[in-house]
Amino acid sequence: MFEAVVSGATDPEIEGVDVVRRAALAVTPTDMLAADGYILGTPANLGYMSGALKHAFDTCYYQILDSTQGRPYGLYLHGNQGTEGAEKAIDAITTGLGWARAAETVVVSGAPDSDAREACWELGATVAAGLMP
């Protein structure tokens, strides 16, 4: 799913957008402040976002709160069951940050198939295209 998102975001028709990838455990407030938009991806473990993504929000939230309002974001989730809690928690955090949803959330249950990969590609392309100068 990640590769499909990146492929969409880096499509050759999307010009003037640099795509930077950061693992949730490695992202810093400086990284988030430097970005013009965000694509978040996480498994839904036990009905909640990954601990890594939660950690990223915990370490960055207050440092980026007043500086990233209005920035676009997209989200993709993968779980075998019960992704609603993860989506609800991320929606609450991104609402608190004042981020703007740039595309519909992609939710994949079970093994990702070609439709899921296509939806992820579209998510990446949509968010990136919205950042073109």
Side-chain angles (χ1 to χ4, degrees):
M1 293 172 60
F2 171 77
E3 290 83 7
V5 170
V6 171
S7 179
T10 58
D11 185 274
E13 292 187 31
I14 299 171
E15 298 177 346
V17 176
D18 294 323
V19 176
V20 177
R21 302 150 189 93
R22 291 286 185 268
L25 289 175
V27 72
T28 66
T30 301
D31 294 328
M32 294 185 96
L33 290 167
D36 294 321
Y38 314 94
I39 301 176
L40 310 169
T42 185
N45 297 316
L46 305 171
Y48 198 68
M49 75 180 93
S50 69
L53 184 56
K54 178 70 166 73
H55 174 77
F57 282 130
D58 285 346
T59 58
C60 297
Y61 188 89
Y62 289 106
Q63 295 178 60
I64 68 172
L65 179 60
D66 295 326
S67 302
T68 62
Q69 292 183 11
R71 291 187 187 174
Y73 81 97
L75 170 64
Y76 63 100
L77 296 163
H78 177 254
N80 291 322
Q81 56 184 328
T83 59
E84 300 85 8
E87 188 171 5
K88 182 178 178 181
I90 294 167
D91 284 347
I93 293 166
T94 55
T95 297
L97 288 168
W99 292 0
R101 184 185 310 269
E104 289 299 314
T105 297
V106 175
V107 178
V108 178
S109 295
D113 59 13
S114 61
D115 289 340
R117 288 188 291 278
E118 177 65 23
C120 287
W121 189 96
E122 289 290 335
L123 174 68
T126 299
V127 175
L131 295 171
M132 288 189 348

